[in-house]
Amino acid sequence: MIESVLLSGSTGDAISSLLGWSYFAAWSISFYPQIFLNYKRKSVEGLSIDFLVYNVYGFACYALFNTAFFFNKRIGDEYARRNDGHENLVRFNDLFFSYHALVLSLVTFAQSFYYKRAPAQSSSPISLMFSSIYNTVYLLSFIKLGCSMIKYIPQAWLNYERKSTTGWSIHNIMLDFTGGTLSFAQLILDAIRSGNVTEALGNPVKFGMGLASIGFDLVFLTQHFVLYTDRYDPQDIEAQVRCQSAPSTYGSTDSSDVSTF
C-alpha cells in the first residue's frame, strides 16, 4: 500500500520534488556559515585550501554535467538508448543547486586570497583532459564524484593535526549531512518509481555525493563534538574584547565571587 502511494504519478512526483528542494535548501545553505565565519574572523586559517580548490573544480564539472543532461536532447536520447529507454534522473533542483554551489564555492575560494592565511596554506594545481561529448559529460560527473570523495580528506587531516575544528564551520557540516541524506533519498525514490533501481547509478555523481557527504560529515561531527572540543579561537577578536571588558572579581570579598576561580 505504502509502496503504491510512493510510486503513483502525482504523489510520487510531489514527494520527489519535496525531497529534491529540501536537499537543495540544506546543501545550499550549508555554504553560507563558512563564508560568514571567514568574514567574521578576517582569516581562512584552519580551512583547507585544497578543499576549496576541489570544491570549485568539482562543482564546475557537476554544473556542466547537469546542464548537458537537463537541456541537451541528443545526450538525453543517448542516455535512453544505453539504459533501455529510461529517462535520466537529473532534475531542475539538481541543475539549480550545482550553479548555486559553484558561485558560493568561488566566493569562498576568493576569500582565501583576500583574508589571512597560515604560512603553510597553499592550493594545488589540477589538470585534466577530456574526450567525446557523451563520455565527457559523464566523465565530468565522475570528476565531481572524485573531488567529493577526496575534498574532505585534507580538512579531516588538518583538524586531526591541529586537534581542533576552529575555523571550520560545523553548521556547514550539519546542513551538508541533511542535504546528503535528502538527495540520496530523492534519487532512490525516483529510481524505484522508474521501475529500475539500478537507474540510481545512472546519476553516479548524485549517488556518490550523497554517500560521501554522509560518511565524511559523520567524521567531522565526531571530531567537533567528541574528539576536539576546545573552541578557543585566537582570530575571534570580539570574544577576546568581551573577555577583557568583563568586570574583574578579584577585588570582591564575596564568597560567591571567590568560588568562581
Side-chain angles (χ1 to χ4, degrees), residues 52 74 109 139 164 192 217 225 232 243:
L52 302 181
R74 181 178 176 182
F109 185 53
L139 180 60
S164 171
I192 293 174
D217 288 342
F225 291 109
Y232 173 71
C243 290

Side-chain angles (χ1 to χ4, degrees), residues 63-83 86-90 132-140 202:
L64 289 173
F65 170 80
N66 282 336
T67 300
F69 271 79
F70 192 82
F71 290 111
N72 193 300
K73 185 177 184 301
R74 181 178 176 182
I75 293 177
D77 292 342
E78 179 71 8
Y79 178 92
R81 187 182 67 80
R82 298 190 184 193
N83 293 274
H86 292 287
E87 177 188 1
N88 77 78
L89 299 180
V90 174
S132 70
I133 299 178
Y134 181 86
N135 291 333
T136 296
V137 293
Y138 244 102
L139 180 60
L140 290 175

Side-chain angles (χ1 to χ4, degrees), residues 41 57 65 67 151 163 186 204:
R41 300 173 72 231
Y57 195 68
F65 170 80
T67 300
K151 72 177 183 179
K163 298 297 185 290
Q186 184 197 26

Side-chain angles (χ1 to χ4, degrees), residues 60-114:
C61 294
Y62 189 36
L64 289 173
F65 170 80
N66 282 336
T67 300
F69 271 79
F70 192 82
F71 290 111
N72 193 300
K73 185 177 184 301
R74 181 178 176 182
I75 293 177
D77 292 342
E78 179 71 8
Y79 178 92
R81 187 182 67 80
R82 298 190 184 193
N83 293 274
D84 300 322
H86 292 287
E87 177 188 1
N88 77 78
L89 299 180
V90 174
R91 301 290 182 253
F92 180 68
N93 57 270
D94 301 324
L95 180 71
F96 195 14
F97 164 72
S98 61
Y99 277 96
H100 182 261
L102 175 59
V103 170
L104 294 184
S105 294
L106 287 169
V107 170
T108 312
F109 185 53
Q111 287 182 318
S112 72
F113 292 96
Y114 184 74

